[in-house]
Amino acid sequence: GKIREGRNRFGETSQYDPRAGEMTIQHQGQTIRLAVPPRTQDPVSCGYFFRTLSVKENSSVFIPVQAEGKNWNMEVKTYGSKSVKIEKTGEFQALETEPIMLFRGIFSRAGGKGEIQGLISLDKRRIPLRMSVKIPVLGRVSSEVTEYVPGKE
């Protein structure tokens, strides 16, 4: 996909071959083949992947991420749980999270400084309930789920 943040612009397409343990990346007209560890994610899919993991309060999990033509081991710190009430959606037990992204990712230079926080429900759905990120020049941006419609199981 293409990322545009202020003056920063870049486009990258990746294709992961888990059997070969390889990722093929199209970046600025070049093709790069990179050996990657099992279960490697890209900067977007790592959030979805995190939802599938069994996590505990006050701990860390590490997710292999390929970004910028390099392999990274992204840490996601978890803190305490708390009850969260979201209007029109419900009340949830939620886990506070903080991904530590050392790569540029979706939010340019935001990671690695404790500037991204999230709340994820502790039920089997693992709904991302809230997120707050500090973005250079723009300031702090927050989001909250406004509606949840369960899918078929």
Side-chain angles (χ1 to χ4, degrees), residues 1 11-27 30-37 40-43 45 66-67 69 71:
E12 186 174 283
T13 304
S14 345
Q15 187 171 11
Y16 177 45
D17 181 351
R19 289 185 183 154
E22 182 178 85
M23 189 161 294
T24 304
I25 304 150
Q26 298 287 329
H27 180 74
Q30 296 181 347
T31 299
I32 303 165
R33 284 191 170 62
L34 180 67
V36 293
T40 293
Q41 305 299 308
D42 65 38
S45 68
Q66 184 290 316
N71 292 321

Side-chain angles (χ1 to χ4, degrees), residues 103-116:
F103 51 89
R104 291 174 58 103
I106 299 168
F107 306 108
S108 178
R109 295 182 198 85
K113 300 174 187 164
E115 297 182 29
I116 302 173

